[in-house]
Amino acid sequence: MQPFHTIIVLFSLSCVVLSQNTQNINVLLVNEENNALAEKAFEVAKEYVRRNPSLGLAIDPVIVVGNRSDAKAFLENVCRKYNGMLSEKREPHVILDFTITGVGSETIKSFTAALALPTISGSFGQVGDLRQWRSLSVNQTKYLLQVMPPADILPESIRAIVTKQDITNAAIIFDEHFVMDHKYKSLLQNIPTRHVITPVKSFSKDEIKTQLRSLRELDIVNFFIIGSLRTIKNVLDSADENQYFGRKTAWFALSLDKGDVSCGCKDATIVYLRPTPDAKSKDRLGKIKTTYSMNGEPEITSAFYFDLSLRSFLAIKSLLDSGSWPNDMQYITCEDYNGKNTPSRTLDLKTAFQEIKETPTYAPFYIPEDDSMNGRSYMEFSADLSAVTVKDGASIGSRSLGSWKAGLSNPLTLTDADNMSDYSAQVVYRIVTVEQHPFIIRDDTAPKGFKGYCIDLIEEIRKIVKFDYEITLSPDGNFGTMDENGNWNGIIKELMEKRADIGLTSLSVMAERENVIDFTVPYYDLVGITIMMSLPKTPTSLFKFLTVLENDVWLSIMGAYFFTSFLMWAFDKWSPYSYQNNREKYKDDEEKREFTLKECLWFCMTSLTPQGGGEAPKNLSGRLLAATWWLFGFIIIASYTANLAAFLTVSRLDTPIESLDDLSKQYKIQYAPVNGSSAMSYFERMANIEGRFYEIWKAMSLNDSLSEVERAKLAVWEYPVSDKYSKMWQAMKEAGLPNSIEEAIQRVRDSRTSSDGFAWLGDATDVRYQVLTSCDLQMVGDEFSRKPYAIAVQQGSPLKDQFNNAILQLLNKRELEKLKENWWNKNPNAKRCDKQDDQSDGISIQNIGGVFIVIFMGIGLACITLGVEYWWYKWRKRSTIGEVTRVEPAKVVRNVADPADRPEYSFRSRNQGMTNLKRKF
């Protein structure tokens, strides 16, 4: 019996020693109604302490569960429980605050701070988010502690993904397991990403589809879903039905749940981030879950509250065991608190909490050493990043991309950065445009269906600002004007209503447009309004020199020529003093010209030329006739020469319009801009301004309150301000504004002459291009109302700064000048037009070339005549009789001037068969 008695004594002694080392910890647990997982984890921690007596702990908890939104009732319940603990002499060593967020949670923070109760909180919130704990003293930060739960730190991975992927827009959708109210500003702060944070509205698929459509209409292409796997599946299924999967969108899923992402998607790839327990903690986690039935989901959240509870118990025990717990801890009831009697504490709970060496169940806590814990402490877990591919509702593979270490600013750790870039939404901007040569030209063979100056420009910009684009024409074909009701149309309307991201064409920067959209820096010089008219067509003719005189004049000259030649022949034939009738008298003269009819015709012809007519007739009547012909010819030639010069010059002096003032002062030529264009707005507004000025002047002139001196200063007979634009606008409306550039050009081409037709007033670049590609149009006058061209974007769009930077780089590299050179000087559609006659130029070959034809015709006729003469001499027929050569007397040539005065005979021989007879006598 003695050994057994000894064993009993030893057991009793050990129990006494153990009871002396066991610390009773009074805990006031404050929780929310919808956070049952935290309370269950607390119970597991309490059971863990109970089953492990070596810890030397005994937990005596008081639990208060309240409604987050009913702060008053919540506080009353807490105060009642707390006051009950004080009355029972069970002052709480620590307050475990498992409230999540909201006024109820802030009420508990105010309660603990006011009564100076050591508190460890698992509420959501980063630095400064716990409003009631913002202005804590140094001592208070040592016993009012907060550790962010995993659901509060997981969204920080979005910042890492956005930064790594260079995402410019994002929608963050979360469910009830996450609190994002305090993330709206801080999550993507100082990152140029346009983003929306919104909760999942319901579990109804139709409502989720509507919600996604609303987000998509905001031009969002990157979607982040934070929630349970069930929430993620519902959102992905809705997105699939909306056909939101493809290269234009990217989907990221973040969850604290175990398991893989699933959905009924036809073809989708989702980047999935989920936490995993540390390798050192896996065995402990499995043991706790098995032994203590800690099977709440998500397991990381259960592990967090378990570790937070156990670590709090051990920290209080450490303070009690080490004697660091004050012996004179004072507690006051809620009723005793008057706002100024907060007890003073010197308790360093933070250090004790930090020094606990208990093995973590999931991942260790990160606690800053030299700073407050609140808003900076969290469970430092790791999360795996993978790409999950789903086809026809089944997952066909998962590809590991890297990992992320939980933290407030930790980056992603990627196995291959290029792999991650494959899962980004390709940034595709919607460009709206209006076809305007050479800036925007429709071309179905081009990669985007368009070509031109602006297409080359946007291609250069996209090399600097990485993006893709799709381009469409403005639905109504307008650039954008505002009506009387303030409503816009065209490109401006598309940008205002978020149906387009970029307005790209020859769009002028105007003040009223800048009120509703944003413009980049100009990419093109100042461009004004100018006039386009049909080019005067100067009629040309190779025989224009013949049109100087009318046909009846030419016929009259020809009649006079033949009549004079005939009279000269008649006078020479019948005058007794003519050469042929008085040969003896003129036998010693060197000039012996017999005026036959042929010679008379020749004489009259040569008399009209600088060569002169030659020897004049001998008879006085013939000479009088010749002198009369010479006088006639001199007058005719002088008149012809003068009129020819004037006739060739007058057509080049037809320049009726040289400026806008010339156009406004005439009435033969109609003129107008294209309806709805900036040029139309300019003239309409100038006319309205003149009208308002007139009304102001009239009101001033008719003001009865003016003194006589003031009225005298306004006493003028006529309105002193020009009304040019009012008259022009009226003329434009009467002429009818064309509805398109093509219509305007056609009306210009239909003009009969440059002084009677239609003139189009449009942007100088449009006019210059039409003149460049046509030879029948001209640009008239200088430019006015000059404005630059720029790219339009939505108001407040980050594209403005990005494009500004790109355009300035292109400007510095002189790339914009190269674009101008390519689309203006080297434009493949440019026409090489004939040079127009200028007053300083000579007479063109088109107008005087007929004289060359005349001389070539004369030369040709002379050559033909020579051939006829040669043939006549060589091959004329001769009379033949047998082989005897017959000698016939030739024509007797009488020469009365010959001294012998005898006829001479010569004989021509014809071969009559006598071969030996000489042909020369």
Side-chain angles (χ1 to χ4, degrees), residues 122 147-150 299-309 365 379:
V147 181
M148 291 184 289
E299 68 177 16
I300 185 175
T301 304
S302 294
F304 167 77
Y305 286 113
F306 173 84
D307 284 347
L308 187 65
S309 301
F365 285 172
M379 178 184 279

Side-chain angles (χ1 to χ4, degrees), residues 195-357:
H195 63 283
V196 177
I197 302 177
T198 179
V200 178
K201 292 185 176 180
S202 73
F203 287 102
S204 171
K205 189 173 294 185
D206 290 336
E207 292 188 20
I208 296 176
K209 287 165 60 178
T210 302
Q211 184 178 7
L212 292 178
R213 276 194 296 268
S214 299
L215 294 172
R216 192 68 184 88
E217 289 173 358
L218 298 175
D219 302 330
I220 291 176
V221 296
N222 299 281
F223 293 87
F224 292 84
I225 314 169
I226 311 177
S228 64
L229 291 177
R230 176 191 174 191
T231 300
I232 293 173
K233 183 179 186 306
N234 287 339
V235 174
L236 293 179
D237 288 342
S238 300
D240 183 68
E241 293 185 13
N242 281 351
Q243 298 181 353
Y244 286 167
F245 288 106
R247 71 183 187 96
K248 295 182 180 180
T249 55
W251 291 86
F252 303 87
L254 297 83
S255 180
L256 296 175
D257 292 349
K258 292 193 304 181
D260 296 325
V261 169
S262 63
C263 69
C265 309
K266 299 179 182 66
D267 187 1
T269 299
I270 304 98
V271 177
Y272 181 38
L273 184 74
R274 61 178 176 180
T276 56
D278 286 1
K280 297 179 180 179
S281 303
K282 284 185 177 180
D283 292 341
R284 177 177 172 84
L285 176 63
K287 182 179 178 181
I288 296 296
K289 291 176 64 176
T290 303
T291 305
Y292 299 94
S293 302
M294 193 181 70
N295 49 16
E297 290 293 338
E299 68 177 16
I300 185 175
T301 304
S302 294
F304 167 77
Y305 286 113
F306 173 84
D307 284 347
L308 187 65
S309 301
L310 181 59
R311 198 179 187 100
S312 300
F313 303 156
L314 295 175
I316 298 298
K317 180 180 184 302
S318 174
L319 290 173
L320 293 172
D321 289 346
S322 64
S324 299
W325 189 269
N327 294 324
D328 56 347
M329 284 282 288
Q330 297 181 358
Y331 295 89
I332 61 174
T333 64
C334 295
E335 290 77 9
D336 293 337
Y337 178 70
N338 60 13
K340 298 180 180 179
N341 58 343
T342 301
S344 176
R345 306 285 190 217
T346 58
L347 186 66
D348 191 0
L349 180 60
K350 173 188 173 184
T351 300
F353 187 87
Q354 186 175 5
E355 291 177 349
I356 296 301
K357 303 300 182 183

Side-chain angles (χ1 to χ4, degrees), residues 647-822:
F647 195 76
L648 294 176
T649 304
V650 69
S651 60
R652 293 182 291 169
L653 297 177
D654 185 19
T655 55
I657 303 299
E658 294 182 350
S659 66
L660 184 66
D661 289 335
D662 293 341
L663 198 63
S664 64
K665 294 175 182 178
Q666 57 80 48
Y667 60 90
K668 290 185 178 181
I669 300 176
Q670 294 182 332
Y671 51 89
V674 172
N675 189 21
S677 65
S678 58
M680 185 208 75
S681 300
Y682 170 77
F683 285 103
E684 183 179 19
R685 290 175 184 176
M686 291 296 288
N688 291 336
I689 290 171
E690 287 181 351
R692 294 188 66 181
F693 281 177
Y694 175 75
E695 294 298 329
I696 293 172
W697 174 80
K698 186 171 67 173
M700 290 170 58
S701 301
L702 300 177
N703 189 353
D704 295 335
S705 64
L706 295 177
S707 65
E708 293 296 330
V709 176
E710 293 173 335
R711 186 182 300 280
K713 292 179 180 179
L714 298 175
V716 293
W717 290 103
E718 296 179 353
Y719 177 56
V721 181
S722 170
D723 58 350
K724 177 179 73 173
Y725 289 98
S726 298
K727 293 179 179 178
M728 292 187 69
W729 178 241
Q730 183 63 32
M732 292 174 185
K733 292 191 291 185
E734 293 176 356
L737 276 66
N739 293 317
S740 64
I741 292 179
E742 291 73 18
E743 181 183 344
I745 295 172
Q746 188 58 47
R747 289 180 65 178
V748 171
R749 285 199 167 107
D750 291 341
S751 301
R752 292 186 294 274
T753 64
S754 60
S755 60
D756 184 13
F758 181 80
W760 171 46
L761 295 102
D763 284 354
T765 50
D766 298 331
V767 173
R768 188 175 294 113
Y769 183 79
Q770 296 300 328
V771 173
L772 179 70
T773 57
S774 304
C775 293
D776 58 344
L777 303 173
Q778 65 173 336
M779 186 168 69
V780 177
D782 297 328
E783 299 179 28
F784 55 92
S785 182
R786 302 178 70 189
K787 297 178 287 291
Y789 289 161
I791 299 175
V793 297
Q794 296 175 7
Q795 200 165 48
S797 171
L799 288 177
K800 177 181 178 180
D801 294 334
Q802 298 175 27
F803 279 22
N804 283 346
N805 179 56
I807 292 173
L808 292 175
Q809 290 186 43
L810 296 175
L811 187 63
N812 292 334
K813 296 177 183 178
R814 306 179 71 86
E815 293 294 334
L816 299 183
E817 294 184 12
K818 293 180 182 179
L819 293 182
K820 287 184 181 179
E821 180 73 15
N822 293 337

Side-chain angles (χ1 to χ4, degrees), residues 54 108 128 139 192 196 261 266 327 347 394 504 689 878 884 888:
S54 61
I108 301 305
N139 284 336
V196 177
V261 169
K266 299 179 182 66
N327 294 324
L347 186 66
L504 180 68
I689 290 171
R878 298 179 175 86
V884 178
E888 298 176 346

Side-chain angles (χ1 to χ4, degrees), residues 409-428:
S409 59
N410 289 347
L412 295 176
T413 301
L414 301 177
T415 55
D416 188 345
D418 293 336
N419 288 344
M420 188 65 180
S421 62
D422 295 339
Y423 303 103
S424 297
Q426 190 170 3
V427 182
V428 181

